[in-house]
Amino acid sequence: MTARLCVLVSGRGRNLRALHAACADGRIDGCITRVVCNQPQAAALEFAEQAGIARRTLDHRGFATRADFDAALADAVEGSQPDWVILAGFMRVLGAPFVQRFGGRMLNIHPSLLPRHRGLHTHRSALEAGDAEHGASVHFVTDELDGGPVVIQGTCRVHPEDDEAGLAERVMSDIELRIYPQAVAWACAGRVQCRQSTVYFDGAPLRAPLDMTALEEGF
């Protein structure tokens, strides 16, 4: 059965575009049934309209409390009857009630090699820390910020001449746009699951996150 995906966005929508393309050409056995965005002017909403995807805007600034926004967001997500909730550049911290409501079926992509550099400004943090490698991680969402179990990571070398913008673009283009469609494809196919804070791949627990070499295996 084709999986139903609700994608949460806040910005340009580059990962959204990659996910939509992978659904359209059959790499993901899924369909994006709704895009929900907290930024009314986000380019991701324009893409969703052009692609004929149902979209919903919930400006977080119009809610009195974070809990009120989370409750409205949860209702908007649930209204699309999703099998999976996919965070694709969604720049809001989600509270425990929201996370628990969709627990075990919510994925996020984070631009660092978790557990390093949680939160914002990860590329700047990697440069300031003098990291030799940087990258991105796809993980299940839990109550802990960027702390859920990781499914897959991709790495790149940090070069002496790198600046924040250049490193961010390389991580996005070379890593994020590859590993996120792959992880979502595995999830939709039932190959990836999260049980009791452990990721299972093809029924076996992962002792470490998969890496980009896994992309060569049937995707």
Side-chain angles (χ1 to χ4, degrees), residues 5-120:
L5 310 177
C6 182
V7 182
L8 308 189
V9 297
S10 294
R12 294 176 295 173
R14 291 182 68 182
N15 274 302
L16 170 63
R17 291 169 185 262
L19 293 168
H20 179 262
C23 289
D25 65 21
R27 287 176 290 153
I28 294 175
D29 185 11
C31 176
I32 300 174
T33 56
R34 179 173 291 178
V35 169
V36 184
C37 183
N38 69 309
Q39 294 287 355
Q41 304 305 317
L45 286 171
E46 297 178 18
F47 171 75
E49 181 178 11
Q50 294 166 2
I53 305 170
R55 60 205 181 282
R56 178 80 181 274
T57 303
L58 287 174
D59 190 339
H60 60 275
R61 292 164 292 195
F63 292 84
T65 67
R66 183 183 297 274
D68 289 342
F69 171 74
D70 279 4
L73 179 65
D75 288 342
V77 171
E78 194 69 76
S80 67
Q81 299 180 314
D83 297 300
W84 288 92
V85 180
I86 308 299
L87 279 60
F90 187 66
M91 303 303 290
R92 297 290 298 171
V93 177
L94 297 168
F98 184 97
V99 173
Q100 291 164 9
R101 186 167 176 176
F102 302 102
R105 54 191 178 110
M106 184 158 47
L107 292 172
N108 181 50
I109 188 159
H110 183 74
S112 82
L113 297 174
L114 292 172
R116 293 184 64 81
H117 311 308
R118 300 182 185 185
L120 301 175

Side-chain angles (χ1 to χ4, degrees), residues 75-213:
D75 288 342
V77 171
E78 194 69 76
S80 67
Q81 299 180 314
D83 297 300
W84 288 92
V85 180
I86 308 299
L87 279 60
F90 187 66
M91 303 303 290
R92 297 290 298 171
V93 177
L94 297 168
F98 184 97
V99 173
Q100 291 164 9
R101 186 167 176 176
F102 302 102
R105 54 191 178 110
M106 184 158 47
L107 292 172
N108 181 50
I109 188 159
H110 183 74
S112 82
L113 297 174
L114 292 172
R116 293 184 64 81
H117 311 308
R118 300 182 185 185
L120 301 175
H121 309 302
T122 60
H123 311 298
R124 183 189 312 168
S125 297
L127 291 170
E128 290 176 348
D131 292 351
E133 289 186 328
H134 189 41
S137 309
V138 178
H139 65 96
F140 279 90
V141 178
T142 65
D143 294 353
E144 183 181 0
L145 177 64
D146 299 326
V150 177
V151 177
I152 184 171
Q153 293 180 319
T155 63
C156 64
R157 299 292 299 173
V158 179
H159 305 305
E161 65 274 16
D162 277 333
D163 60 15
E164 185 177 357
L167 184 57
E169 176 57 32
R170 198 159 77 250
V171 169
M172 170 63 77
S173 298
D174 296 349
I175 300 172
E176 290 191 43
L177 299 181
R178 295 179 62 201
I179 66 173
Y180 210 11
Q182 174 66 91
V184 173
W186 284 332
C188 290
R191 300 184 67 186
V192 165
Q193 298 174 327
C194 184
R195 306 177 211 153
Q196 298 180 333
S197 300
T198 298
V199 176
Y200 285 76
F201 184 76
D202 287 345
L206 287 183
R207 304 190 186 283
L210 298 166
D211 62 35
M212 286 207 304
T213 60

